Amino acid sequence: MLQRKWIVVVFLLMAVTLGVAAMRPPKNGYTNLEVLPRDIPTRDLTRIMVDEFDDGLGVSCTFCHAPESPGSQKLDYASDAKPEKAIARSMMRMTLKVNKRWFSVKKPMLGTPSLAVTCVTCHNGKPHPDGASGQ
């Protein structure tokens, strides 16, 4: 009987430990990624931000990311305060869908060379594509 109790106690401890571990944010600290995987390596995230957004739209981080506080030079990357961030997410989803549907890319991922359509396809290094409002 005592052995069964120990087995139950050990099982419960393991379940609680796994539950707590599952609730922790990823090691890299990315808590607000919605389109990109939350466990994306920092190197890959940086490459996507530079290659896709900086180069494709000709913008810097401040285009989508809000400062931590008014007048601050430090950015709050998790903040959704700027509407451009929501637009960027929408555009990323659209790009992935276009590549999957029209170019038969089985598992499209931003930043991979398998994509036929990327940000630069329409933006050509400008924040707004030709013909879009806000130019």
Side-chain angles (χ1 to χ4, degrees):
M1 187 63 135
L2 186 60
Q3 186 177 8
R4 282 187 186 179
K5 287 181 182 179
W6 277 109
I7 291 172
V8 170
V9 168
V10 169
F11 177 77
L12 289 173
L13 284 172
M14 287 175 46
V16 168
T17 302
L18 288 173
V20 169
M23 292 172 46
R24 287 187 191 166
K27 283 192 291 185
N28 58 20
Y30 305 129
T31 58
N32 197 19
L33 292 178
E34 294 180 11
V35 180
L36 297 168
R38 287 186 179 207
D39 63 348
I40 189 170
T42 301
R43 176 188 72 248
D44 293 345
L45 180 62
T46 302
R47 185 176 41 79
I48 288 169
M49 292 295 157
V50 171
D51 292 349
E52 296 295 323
F53 301 118
D54 282 3
D55 296 346
L57 281 72
V59 298
S60 66
C61 303
T62 58
F63 189 76
C64 293
H65 297 288
E68 282 188 345
S69 60
S72 173
Q73 297 296 319
K74 196 168 183 185
L75 297 176
D76 181 357
Y77 293 104
S79 170
D80 289 332
K82 294 190 79 174
E84 291 84 356
K85 189 171 181 182
I87 293 167
R89 286 178 174 143
S90 174
M91 298 298 281
M92 288 190 291
R93 287 182 185 105
M94 178 196 68
T95 300
L96 295 172
K97 284 179 187 177
V98 165
N99 278 282
K100 187 172 187 171
R101 181 172 182 189
W102 299 103
F103 296 95
S104 302
V105 178
K106 293 198 186 307
K107 292 184 179 180
M109 284 290 298
L110 292 172
T112 60
S114 64
L115 298 183
V117 174
T118 64
C119 300
V120 76
T121 305
C122 299
H123 284 268
N124 294 307
K126 296 179 276 189
H128 304 282
D130 289 337
S133 61
Q135 289 188 22

